[in-house]
């Protein structure tokens, strides 16, 4: 009796992953084992970098706030400490956006905590 193998499902699985690897360089896009490995590794990078993205943006916000605060004659750490003492609850994302796009509002906040 011949062996029964579900070629339809296995071919569909391969096609699905090869479709996901379109645009990769060289054998990564069309050789099954290489494509599968790079696709799986890409998923781990995506998982890791979703977390790293949060760190990178927080770091960027801090740099922007620090630069704007120094123009007002205050360091980042002093500004954040004074904000906490004054009871002003504003997060770094909004503060950085104000520093970049609305310097007058940022200056008003700095004046309030001086």
């Amino acid at each position: 009796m011949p062996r029964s193998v579900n070629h339809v499902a296995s071919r569909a699985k391969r096609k699905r992953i090869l479709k996901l690897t379109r645009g990769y360089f060289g054998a990564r896009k069309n050789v099954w084992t290489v494509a599968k490995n790079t696709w799986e590794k890409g998923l781990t990078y995506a998982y890791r970098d979703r977390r790293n993205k949060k760190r990178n943006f927080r770091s960027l916000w801090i740099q922007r706030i620090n630069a704007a605060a120094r123009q007002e004659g205050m360091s980042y750490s002093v500004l954040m400490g004074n904000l906490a003492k004054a009871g002003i609850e504003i997060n770094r994302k909004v503060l950085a956006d104000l520093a970049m796009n609305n310097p007058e509002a940022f200056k008003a906040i700095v004046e309030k905590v001086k």
Side-chain angles (χ1 to χ4, degrees), residues 64-83:
R64 286 179 174 174
I65 294 166
N66 191 21
R70 286 184 186 277
Q71 287 180 340
E72 304 300 325
M74 190 181 279
S75 73
Y76 168 80
S77 60
V78 171
L79 172 67
M80 296 310 282
N82 289 353
L83 280 171

Side-chain angles (χ1 to χ4, degrees), residues 27-38:
R28 290 166 169 247
K29 70 175 163 278
N30 56 11
V31 176
W32 165 243
T33 52
V34 180
K36 184 169 151 291
N37 290 340
T38 54

Side-chain angles (χ1 to χ4, degrees), residues 57-80 83 90-100 106 109-110:
F57 268 102
R58 184 181 169 98
S59 172
L60 176 67
W61 298 331
I62 288 170
Q63 289 169 22
R64 286 179 174 174
I65 294 166
N66 191 21
R70 286 184 186 277
Q71 287 180 340
E72 304 300 325
M74 190 181 279
S75 73
Y76 168 80
S77 60
V78 171
L79 172 67
M80 296 310 282
L83 280 171
I90 185 167
N91 64 19
R92 286 165 181 80
K93 181 179 179 179
V94 173
L95 209 52
D97 186 58
L98 286 175
M100 289 287 292
F106 184 81
I109 291 171
V110 172

Side-chain angles (χ1 to χ4, degrees), residues 11-43:
R11 188 181 306 115
K13 183 173 143 189
R14 281 196 301 270
K15 275 183 74 172
R16 181 175 55 87
I17 289 176
L18 287 172
K19 188 177 179 186
L20 291 169
T21 59
R22 272 189 3 205
Y24 286 14
F25 180 81
R28 290 166 169 247
K29 70 175 163 278
N30 56 11
V31 176
W32 165 243
T33 52
V34 180
K36 184 169 151 291
N37 290 340
T38 54
W39 172 73
E40 285 174 348
K41 192 159 191 179
L43 292 178

